[in-house]
Amino acid sequence: MNKIIIVTGASRGIGREIAKTLAREGNIVIANYNKSEQLAIELKEELQKENIKIDIFKADVSNRKEAKILVEFVLNKYKRIDVLINNAGIAQSKLFTDFTDEDWNKIINTNLYSAFCMTQEVLPNMIHNKSGNIINISSVHGIVGASCETVYAISKAGMDAMTKSLAKELGPSNIRVNSIAPGLIDTDMNKNLTENDLKILKEEIPLGKVGKVTDIAKCVKWLVEDEFTTGQIISLNGGWTII
Ligand code: NAD
C-alpha cells in the first residue's frame, strides 16, 4: 500500500497491533510511544526479523510541542502524511463526585486534546496534497456512556464529535475522518477486571466474547484502503450496543 502512516500510542495493545498490521501490508509506519521505549524497540526488532522497517518516535502527544516535533520528523523524512491514527489513550474509573481537576485534565488532554493537536499538525500537509485519512480510536463508552467512567466517556464522545465535524469540513479536501469505537478488547487497559467481572460482561455481549486487538487492526486496515467512508463511528463490540 506504501502509505505514510502515524500511529499514536503504538508501543502496546491496540496501537501496537495496528502498527504491525499496517507495516506488514507494505506501509511506512511511524509508531509513536510516550514512556515505553523498551516495548517500542521490541516492536521494531520484531518487524526487523520479518525484514519490515518501522520508525519508532517518542512523543507525549498530549503536549503540543511534542506532537509538532513528531509530525515535523515524519514530514522531514517522508515529505507527506497519508494517514493519522489517533489511538493514544488512558482510562480511569471513579465515582463522578471523586474526579479531580487533575484527573479531568489528564484524561481529556491524553484522549482528546492529543487528537486535536495531532490532527491540526498533520492537516496542512494533507490539505496541500488534497488527500488524507484520519482514524480516531474512540470507545463504545462515548456512544452510550459508562458509569464511573464519565470523564473517559466525555473524552471519547468528544472524539466522535470531532470525527463527524471534520468529515464535513474536510470532505471537500478529499480528507476522510472516521472513528472506530471498540467495545471490550483484551489489552492491559482492562487488566484490572476480575474473572467474575469478565464473566458478567461477556453475558452482556451477544457474541459472548471479548474482542482481540486483531479485530480492531483489521478494521483499521480496511479504513486505510477504503475511499468512500467518512464521518462514521464504527462500533466494533460484539453487539454489546446495537443502536
Ligand atoms: P493500552 O493502555 O494498552 O494502550 C494505550 C497506549 O497509549 C499505551 O501504549 C500508552 O503508552 C499510550 N499513551 C498514553 N498516553 C500517551 C501520550 N500522552 N502520548 C503517547 N502515547 C500515549 O490500551 P489499549 O486498550 O490498547 O487502548 C488503545 C486505545 O483504544 C485507547 O484510546 C483506548 O481508550 C481505546 N479503547 C480501548 C478499549 C479496550 O477495551 N481495550 C475499548 C475502547 C477503546
Side-chain angles (χ1 to χ4, degrees):
M1 293 199 288
N2 236 355
K3 292 192 161 74
I4 314 293
I5 303 177
I6 301 176
V7 186
T8 69
S11 64
R12 66 179 208 189
I14 292 170
R16 185 185 184 93
E17 189 62 30
I18 292 171
K20 281 201 283 189
T21 301
L22 297 177
R24 284 178 178 141
E25 287 295 312
N27 297 292
I28 293 169
V29 174
I30 300 86
N32 155 253
Y33 66 96
N34 184 18
K35 293 181 184 147
S36 318
E37 180 141 38
Q38 191 49 41
L39 285 177
I41 291 169
E42 282 166 24
L43 168 66
K44 191 178 168 85
E45 288 172 349
E46 182 184 342
L47 288 166
Q48 258 165 4
K49 285 184 195 142
E50 301 171 30
N51 283 323
I52 295 169
K53 277 192 197 159
I54 191 168
D55 285 297
I56 54 172
F57 197 91
K58 180 172 167 53
D60 171 355
V61 289
S62 68
N63 175 307
R64 167 70 73 171
K65 276 191 199 143
E66 295 191 27
K68 199 184 262 299
I69 291 169
L70 164 59
V71 172
E72 278 169 4
F73 162 78
V74 180
L75 287 176
N76 283 335
K77 189 162 178 184
Y78 298 110
K79 312 298 173 210
R80 67 173 210 271
I81 295 164
D82 299 308
V83 186
L84 167 66
I85 300 167
N86 287 313
N87 165 79
I90 51 168
Q92 193 180 16
S93 198
K94 272 185 182 182
L95 286 175
F96 181 71
T97 43
D98 289 342
F99 275 109
T100 63
D101 287 357
E102 287 72 29
D103 295 331
W104 168 275
N105 289 335
K106 179 86 182 148
I107 298 166
I108 297 294
N109 285 344
T110 307
N111 296 1
L112 186 56
Y113 179 65
S114 65
F116 171 72
C117 288
M118 284 299 296
T119 304
Q120 279 194 332
E121 294 302 327
V122 300
L123 273 181
N125 181 261
M126 289 184 176
I127 291 168
H128 173 80
N129 296 340
K130 273 230 159 222
S131 174
N133 188 350
I134 295 162
I135 301 170
N136 293 320
I137 307 299
S138 59
S139 168
V140 62
H141 292 336
I143 301 172
V144 296
S147 171
C148 295
E149 292 204 63
T150 304
V151 184
Y152 178 79
I154 291 169
S155 72
K156 297 299 188 175
M159 238 185 172
D160 288 347
M162 189 170 100
T163 289
K164 292 178 192 174
S165 303
L166 282 184
K168 292 180 178 177
E169 188 170 323
L170 298 171
S173 298
N174 190 34
I175 297 167
R176 296 181 298 110
V177 190
N178 292 286
S179 287
I180 294 175
L184 187 62
I185 308 297
D186 184 15
T187 69
D188 286 348
M189 191 171 264
N190 295 314
K191 68 180 173 210
N192 295 334
L193 294 175
T194 64
E195 279 303 312
N196 195 44
D197 292 336
L198 284 172
K199 183 173 169 285
I200 293 166
L201 286 165
K202 282 184 204 168
E203 280 166 10
E204 290 175 12
I205 301 169
L207 288 182
K209 59 181 180 180
V210 173
K212 300 192 289 285
V213 289
T214 47
D215 294 318
I216 307 302
K218 281 181 208 163
C219 185
V220 170
K221 175 177 167 302
W222 171 75
L223 270 179
V224 166
E225 289 167 2
D226 175 79
E227 293 181 344
F228 199 49
T229 305
T230 198
Q232 303 306 306
I233 315 301
I234 301 172
S235 287
L236 265 182
N237 60 31
W240 199 8
T241 62
I242 299 175
I243 49 176

